Amino acid sequence: MRISRTLLSPPALAGALVAIVAGLLVLYPVFYLLQAALNVGDPEARPPTEFGLDNFAGLLNYPQIIINTLTVSVAATVMALVFGFLMAWILTRTNVPGRRFFEQAMVVPYYLTPLLGALAWSLLGTPESGFLNQVYRALGGSGYLININSAYGIAWVMALFEGSVAFVMIGAVMKSMDPALEEASQVMGASRWRTMLRVTLPLVLPGVLGAAIFVFAEMLGSFAAALVLGLPDRYYVVTTAIYQLTQQYPPKIPLAAAMGTSLFVVMFVTLFIYRRIITAGSYVTITGKAFRPRVNDVGRLKYLLLAACVFYLLCSVVLPLLTLLYASIQNISTAFPAASNFTLAHFRTAFTMNAATTALGNSLWLGFWTATLGVTLMGLISWIIYRSKLPGSSIIEYIVMFPQSVPRLIFAFGMMWAWLIFPIPIYGTLWLLLIAYLTVFLPLGVRTISGVMLQIDKSLEECAQMCGAGWGYRIRTVTVPLLWPGLVAAWLLLFVASIRELGASILLMGPHSKVITPSIVESWFASSTELTAALALIQTAVVAIAVSILLAVTRRATAHITD
């Protein structure tokens, strides 16, 4: 009888309902993705009648795509880690001028999106018409200075925008490290560079490896930069190849599904290597001994390090925005325009297009509801995982974190295949996009809210329970007010991520459910470069305004909680 009352209690019923919803969101498309990958019979048969591994064997007929994917992913990961580690070391361990400003500015590339960077660097570095190559030839050079459409050009653009993510992850580890270890190394006669390489780097190795795994997963699933920069030269990676296989006639669905699921294996092998390295040694830097974070005086070297900070933000933020603005106010974009070439017509045209009106409105609608529903769902999931004593709560964590290891385009491919045969016809509508966003952003929301929830002492809820408060009353009057800053931050992140999302949207949107980011890509391939630049700037301005408003709300909410 006691077990029955526990299982029928409000927390148990709410936990079971949320677990079922999360499981359906994640596992339903994964099932259909695997089913399609193993289908060796009629590709139109639903459900498949013959199963086998022929589609995976068929991947060997595309060795160049696999080589291209590994080349771009590895090169971009190495570059992003170099950017992230150097910037983290400069801004947390040295006395470089403007340290606090640069630390805050490092998050800006994350909000600008790789698509905007790819569009801008395409204007800058295309061999024939890129602005930098035009200037190079005007100065007497021949051929081209850079080729942004090459494998390393694509990797460069991807690394610029993932470098800020690596910076955040590695910088957090460096801030927790006792500076006495580096000071002892220098007292023993080691130079600053030798200390950085022989002391700092080994001690922050877990953070570097964690960033490497995360960034490598992002690079494997990267779609925007590979599509904009690689497709004109028919340089395919796995994600762009899957997109082409599903868009051609007849579509090769089973082969595309096998290509997508093959990335699971790569990610599992990478995670296995990471765990072997981490468990093989000790990387303890925080002990019972107290320490105060200090920066090292690097003398005149600080000006060289300042130049490195300026160079990174110039390449990832300033130059892309100025390039898009420069192109968008010209009739035909060129590095040396005549005065008569300047115009604002592209902005006027952009505001009359479906992409800047209906599509932007749809994106804002999806961003609002994804963030609002997502915070509710993901907040309950976080509570179940870290607060409840419900059986199977740890399994729920593994399920909701699964989309983190799968490229969004691959996940959307499974959703497309699954919802095409669903009895309720929602494929091609905003409702399917809303479901897709809630699914692929589960890890982002749960991790953000969980970080704050783990800082709240359980005894506060337990005290309320001892005083006779019911579960719903405790959640409403104790947990939610204390969790409010984390909920607002999660809402903001989900809103921004929804508006800039491309990989899932480009496969799942229909003629009456256009959203802004895929519409910008369509404009890039179907209309003029200058008009696309104007659309990208409008999207960036909308995101910037939304982020500014929401940051102001966040500060006010946080101040209210503090008071």
Side-chain angles (χ1 to χ4, degrees):
M1 181 65 85
R2 185 177 181 181
I3 295 175
S4 300
R5 281 201 299 270
T6 302
L7 292 177
L8 293 177
S9 63
L13 292 175
L17 179 63
V18 170
I20 291 171
V21 171
L24 284 176
L25 286 175
V26 176
L27 299 180
Y28 179 62
V30 171
F31 170 76
Y32 280 93
L33 181 64
L34 293 173
Q35 189 186 65
L38 296 171
N39 179 16
V40 295
D42 181 5
E44 299 297 326
R46 298 175 187 172
T49 54
E50 299 177 54
F51 294 94
L53 299 175
D54 292 358
N55 296 317
F56 292 95
L59 297 180
L60 298 177
N61 297 324
Y62 301 90
Q64 194 58 49
I65 292 175
I66 298 171
I67 294 171
N68 291 349
T69 305
L70 292 177
T71 302
V72 170
S73 300
V74 172
T77 302
V78 171
M79 289 186 204
L81 288 178
V82 170
F83 292 150
F85 179 80
L86 279 179
M87 294 299 291
W89 180 74
I90 291 171
L91 298 179
T92 61
R93 315 305 284 180
T94 72
N95 62 337
V96 66
R99 198 161 54 92
R100 292 189 176 179
F101 165 77
F102 285 112
E103 195 169 352
Q104 294 179 352
M106 281 297 293
V107 301
V108 177
Y110 174 77
Y111 292 110
L112 288 186
T113 78
L115 175 62
L116 183 142
L119 295 173
W121 275 95
S122 177
L123 287 164
L124 284 167
T126 302
E128 298 301 326
S129 59
F131 293 167
L132 293 178
N133 290 322
Q134 289 184 45
V135 173
Y136 173 68
R137 285 192 288 270
L139 294 175
S142 60
Y144 54 83
L145 180 64
I146 60 173
N147 179 7
I148 207 66
N149 299 118
S150 67
Y152 295 106
I154 297 171
W156 163 260
V157 174
M158 293 160 77
L160 278 178
F161 294 90
E162 289 297 333
S164 61
V165 178
F167 161 79
V168 172
M169 299 179 75
I170 299 171
V173 179
M174 283 193 178
K175 286 179 180 177
S176 303
M177 196 176 73
D178 190 348
L181 301 168
E182 293 165 309
E183 292 168 359
S185 171
Q186 292 183 10
V187 169
M188 297 297 290
S191 66
R192 294 188 183 91
W193 290 110
R194 186 177 176 83
T195 299
M196 183 187 75
L197 295 175
R198 300 297 297 272
V199 177
T200 309
L201 180 58
L203 286 173
V204 299
L205 189 60
V208 175
L209 288 176
I213 297 295
F214 182 87
V215 172
F216 185 66
E218 289 287 308
M219 299 305 182
L220 276 179
S222 181
F223 179 63
L227 183 72
V228 171
L229 300 176
L231 220 56
D233 281 5
R234 302 182 66 80
Y235 186 91
Y236 291 103
V237 295
V238 165
T239 50
T240 51
I242 291 173
Y243 179 67
Q244 287 294 99
L245 288 171
T246 56
Q247 298 300 309
Q248 69 182 40
Y249 184 81
K252 295 182 178 180
I253 300 295
L255 183 61
M259 200 172 281
T261 51
S262 65
L263 292 183
F264 294 178
V265 179
V266 177
M267 281 310 305
F268 288 144
V269 170
T270 309
L271 285 171
F272 174 77
I273 295 172
Y274 169 74
R275 289 191 62 82
R276 288 296 299 267
I277 294 174
I278 293 302
T279 55
S282 174
Y283 304 94
V284 174
T285 60
I286 301 176
T287 64
K289 180 182 176 183
F291 69 89
R292 188 176 63 179
R294 295 186 297 274
V295 296
N296 297 317
D297 184 358
V298 292
R300 293 183 179 179
L301 182 62
K302 63 185 179 185
Y303 297 110
L304 179 62
L305 301 180
L306 174 64
C309 296
V310 172
F311 177 76
Y312 177 76
L313 290 175
L314 184 70
C315 292
S316 60
V317 179
V318 180
L319 199 54
L321 287 177
L322 289 179
T323 301
L324 289 177
L325 180 62
Y326 191 57
S328 65
I329 58 174
Q330 297 184 50
N331 277 319
I332 299 176
S333 60
T334 175
F336 306 104
S340 58
N341 196 35
F342 288 102
T343 178
L344 294 176
H346 301 300
F347 285 96
R348 288 195 293 269
T349 304
F351 280 111
T352 64
M353 291 175 62
N354 184 44
T357 53
T358 306
L360 188 55
N362 288 340
S363 289
L364 291 172
W365 185 88
L366 282 167
F368 176 81
W369 284 111
T370 301
T372 305
L373 296 176
V375 163
T376 306
L377 174 65
M378 297 161 200
L380 282 171
I381 291 173
S382 297
W383 184 88
I384 290 169
I385 294 172
Y386 295 104
R387 282 290 188 269
S388 75
K389 298 177 181 177
L390 298 177
S393 57
S394 59
I395 297 175
I396 297 174
E397 183 176 14
Y398 283 108
I399 292 175
V400 299
M401 287 297 124
F402 186 74
Q404 180 70 51
S405 63
V406 184
R408 287 179 199 144
L409 183 77
I410 311 299
F411 215 92
F413 180 75
M415 295 192 74
M416 179 186 74
W417 198 237
W419 290 96
L420 270 174
I421 63 171
F422 197 71
I424 302 174
I426 63 170
Y427 180 74
T429 67
L430 289 177
W431 297 109
L432 182 55
L433 285 173
L434 180 60
I435 293 171
Y437 290 177
L438 287 172
T439 307
V440 299
F441 295 134
L442 270 175
L444 177 66
V446 171
R447 279 285 172 252
T448 304
I449 296 172
S450 298
V452 181
M453 185 170 286
L454 289 171
Q455 293 178 318
I456 302 173
D457 194 346
K458 287 182 181 179
S459 62
L460 297 170
E461 288 184 49
E462 293 168 353
C463 285
Q465 186 176 11
M466 291 298 292
C467 292
W471 177 70
Y473 189 79
R474 296 199 305 273
I475 292 290
R476 193 174 71 253
T477 59
V478 177
T479 307
V480 170
L482 292 173
L483 204 57
W484 188 248
L487 295 176
V488 174
W491 198 99
L492 173 64
L493 286 173
L494 291 171
F495 179 80
V496 173
S498 300
I499 291 181
R500 50 175 275 181
E501 209 287 325
L502 174 63
S505 309
I506 201 166
L507 279 184
L508 299 177
M509 73 176 189
H512 302 293
S513 58
K514 297 278 188 183
V515 289
I516 185 66
T517 307
S519 298
I520 292 173
V521 173
E522 288 181 353
S523 172
W524 175 260
F525 288 111
S527 63
S528 71
T529 303
E530 298 78 13
L531 183 59
T532 307
L535 285 170
L537 286 175
I538 291 171
Q539 184 203 27
T540 304
V542 169
V543 172
I545 292 170
V547 169
S548 301
I549 294 172
L550 292 168
L551 281 177
V553 172
T554 304
R555 290 195 188 98
R556 183 169 296 182
T558 306
H560 173 72
I561 293 295
T562 304
D563 293 341

